Amino acid sequence: MSGAADRADEMRAFLESAGWGKAAFSPLPGDASTRRYARVAVNGHRAMVMDQPPNAEEPFCPPDATPDERRLLGYNAIARLAGADCGRYIAAANFLRARGLSAPNVYAADTARGFVLVEDLGDGLFAEALAQGNDEYALYGAAVDALVRLQTEPAPSLLPPDKPLYLYDETALIAEVDLMTDWFMPLALGRAAHGDEVSEHRTLWRDTLRSTLPASPVFVHRDYHAQNLIWLPEREGIARVGVIDFQDAVAGTRSYDLISLLEDARRDVSSEIGAAMTERYLDAVRAYGSYVDPQAYRAEMAVMAAQRNAKIAGIFARLYKRDGKPRYLGYLPRVWGYLGRDLAHPALAEIKRWYDRVIPEHVRTTPLVKELDP
């Protein structure tokens, strides 16, 4: 019997034990991860089953691991990704629901085998709702309000019952921008990055990011954008914002999730929306009784946006070269458009000079379609 058939039998056994053994299920399209999802239905009730094969990812970061120990374990541990740990998904879902956001209820789980049965929040992804003509300001405004509510308290050290919420630290942030030199540069330039280029790139980022590491970190979803938010207009307040794909959450800067929302790799977000939502965010933070210096916050936004977009360019190149997923190359022009705008901020002047010299404009704007040829 094939591995896929074995896995299907395991899923059916899990659903049986959860009381959904007679459910019909239909797989959903895959994404950039090793997780798979299926919609299940029985007697008029619907749910979603998450299938995360336990050995499909590198190990997650163990508690108290040093940076050197994390590097030995691989990228997931360095960057503090959840990997195949379904328990982190459950803990983060419970944390978000306790704060009024509509993360899916968890109905049943077998974390050892990598199955979780959760509430089906429907098909109303923000991306789809916006494509259908829903009010962009209303949806993005609700997402900003939910984000501010989430940031009204410091990040916990532990997501109950037992999952540490790790700091989005320098080691993780630098490992992410290394994806630019490890994956994008060889794809775009046709050669590996030279050792001195890699070293200079890291040093410039390390010096720039140091000022953004927060004294009081907040919960960071890490992928807070229109493909991971679900519009639930029948609910009220911030509960109208359904939230998924939060298992990689960390403790980090206030600006990271707002940037994820407003510099979305998969859809164009206008500078007008970006400016309006940044003002809404700052006003809402003040309304909660906190103070954020607008100029310092915008500088932090620019740095974190550039870091995130540099990482994404590297990830999308890796998804093509390593994982055989060419569609992500189509997002690169948008990502570089955002990154070019980010690099114009004075806080990134030295990094901008590096990119202009090593990955010049004509390289960034040349489509990589030629790489798709057999």
Side-chain angles (χ1 to χ4, degrees):
M1 183 178 292
S2 71
D6 288 342
R7 190 67 180 166
D9 287 344
E10 289 181 4
M11 180 186 289
R12 183 60 71 186
F14 165 70
L15 291 172
E16 182 75 38
S17 68
W20 289 68
K22 295 183 179 180
F25 65 95
S26 53
L28 297 179
D31 62 5
S33 75
T34 59
R35 291 180 297 278
R36 295 183 293 270
Y37 294 87
R39 176 164 277 144
V40 296
V42 63
N43 298 328
H45 299 286
R46 296 196 321 179
M48 300 282 288
V49 62
M50 182 174 77
D51 173 8
Q52 172 61 77
N55 299 316
E57 295 271 359
E58 293 174 338
F60 182 69
C61 181
D64 304 321
T66 67
D68 285 343
E69 289 168 339
R70 284 158 62 187
R71 292 185 187 98
L72 290 174
L73 288 170
Y75 185 78
N76 282 353
I78 302 171
R80 289 183 159 161
L81 299 175
D85 184 1
C86 293
R88 295 193 67 81
Y89 174 93
I90 296 168
N94 293 337
F95 178 85
L96 291 167
R97 283 199 313 278
R99 278 140 192 86
L101 279 74
S102 291
N105 278 297
V106 177
Y107 300 144
D110 183 338
T111 57
R113 289 183 172 83
F115 295 112
V116 186
L117 186 70
V118 302
E119 177 184 7
D120 184 353
L121 295 178
D123 296 317
L125 289 174
F126 270 43
E128 299 297 326
L130 292 165
Q132 293 165 7
N134 280 267
D135 186 334
E136 197 170 17
Y137 281 85
L139 268 67
Y140 276 99
V144 168
D145 294 346
L147 189 57
V148 172
R149 168 62 188 90
L150 192 56
Q151 295 182 357
T152 56
E153 59 190 272
S157 58
L158 197 73
L159 296 176
D162 60 357
K163 297 297 179 182
L165 186 67
Y166 291 113
L167 185 65
Y168 206 6
D169 62 4
E170 181 181 281
T171 299
L173 293 165
I174 294 299
E176 290 180 339
V177 295
D178 277 349
L179 294 170
M180 173 67 78
T181 49
D182 289 348
W183 292 96
F184 181 82
M185 282 180 60
L187 182 63
L189 300 179
R191 64 166 176 84
H194 301 317
D196 59 338
E197 292 171 336
V198 174
S199 177
E200 185 181 4
H201 189 246
R202 284 179 184 159
T203 298
L204 290 171
W205 273 111
R206 189 172 288 111
D207 292 345
T208 302
L209 287 165
R210 195 164 289 133
S211 65
T212 69
L213 298 177
S216 180
V218 296
F219 182 98
V220 174
H221 176 293
R222 211 171 187 174
D223 275 309
Y224 194 79
H225 55 70
Q227 289 284 357
N228 286 335
L229 302 176
I230 298 175
W231 185 232
L232 303 168
E234 70 280 5
R235 302 188 185 186
E236 296 184 357
I238 62 172
R240 295 176 299 166
V241 182
V243 187
I244 59 175
D245 204 19
F246 39 71
Q247 62 282 336
D248 291 325
V250 286
T253 69
R254 287 177 169 271
S255 61
Y256 194 90
D257 280 344
L258 186 60
I259 279 299
S260 300
L261 182 69
L262 301 179
E263 296 198 2
D264 190 333
R266 292 168 177 80
R267 74 178 306 271
D268 292 321
V269 181
S270 71
S271 57
E272 291 77 15
I273 287 286
M277 292 303 122
T278 302
E279 287 300 325
R280 184 184 183 112
Y281 175 90
L282 293 169
D283 289 344
V285 168
R286 284 191 287 266
Y288 270 103
S290 299
Y291 175 73
V292 174
D293 179 81
Q295 184 174 354
Y297 183 78
R298 288 187 172 88
E300 179 188 288
M301 283 183 72
V303 172
M304 298 314 300
Q307 187 275 347
R308 177 175 170 79
N309 286 314
K311 170 186 73 172
I312 290 173
I315 287 175
F316 287 173
R318 184 178 69 181
L319 282 167
Y320 166 60
K321 292 294 288 185
R322 188 190 71 182
D323 303 330
K325 297 179 177 180
R327 68 188 179 93
Y328 290 93
L329 295 183
Y331 298 131
L332 284 173
R334 181 180 295 115
V335 172
W336 275 107
Y338 289 139
L339 183 52
R341 189 170 70 193
D342 303 332
L343 292 172
H345 193 282
L348 290 149
E350 291 297 322
I351 293 176
K352 181 180 187 303
R353 277 191 277 274
W354 185 94
Y355 279 93
D356 288 345
R357 172 168 49 85
V358 180
I359 313 175
E361 188 72 22
H362 74 274
V363 173
R364 307 174 200 175
T365 57
T366 299
L368 298 175
V369 179
K370 61 181 182 297
E371 291 288 336
L372 303 182
D373 295 337

